[in-house]
Amino acid sequence: MQIAQISIKLSVAFVLIALTGGCNKDEINPQQAILGKWENFYSGNGEYRPPYDKPGGYWNFLTDSVLVEYDLTTNRTNTRKYWIDTLLNIGTPGGSISYYTVKFYADTMELNIENRTAINYVSKWKRVN
């Protein structure tokens, strides 16, 4: 009788875990994951390309929803606002907004541009801090 009760309790526990999705420690909070300095190492359309020899610049996502872009070829910086809902949204001072689907991996992120036609619609970035 006790074995049957234990079996039923285990079955109920398994069903509850399955229905609630369990506890997923691997979920990534994009608002936190994006923070920091990123170096672009790939721009293209998904095809294989060797990584860049030298980075052209960096993006630094700050906690106050400010994106600071560093262009190493001109030694200039640009700031823009960003926010994340279902997409990564980056607004320019002139009012246009670029929308990206963002995917995070161990120390890299992949951005896929969503709202316009682009020559290179996939960019990959590695964390540098």
Side-chain angles (χ1 to χ4, degrees), residues 21-102:
C23 180
N24 188 353
K25 292 187 272 184
D26 297 332
E27 279 189 31
I28 296 174
N29 178 349
Q31 285 85 0
Q32 292 299 314
I34 202 162
L35 296 177
K37 195 171 178 182
W38 297 88
E39 174 184 288
N40 181 249
F41 68 90
Y42 171 87
S43 290
N45 294 315
E47 77 282 359
Y48 173 77
R49 285 188 170 185
Y52 298 141
D53 292 332
K54 294 186 333 186
Y58 302 94
W59 282 7
N60 193 1
F61 291 89
L62 306 176
T63 56
D64 57 355
S65 297
V66 172
L67 167 61
V68 181
E69 297 173 296
Y70 301 95
D71 185 337
L72 296 175
T73 58
T74 63
N75 289 323
R76 299 179 103 179
T77 61
N78 184 33
T79 59
R80 302 194 283 169
K81 294 296 271 181
Y82 77 91
W83 61 98
I84 298 175
D85 42 34
T86 57
L87 297 172
L88 168 63
N89 305 274
I90 299 176
T92 59
S96 66
I97 300 173
S98 297
Y99 304 98
Y100 300 89
T101 301
V102 60

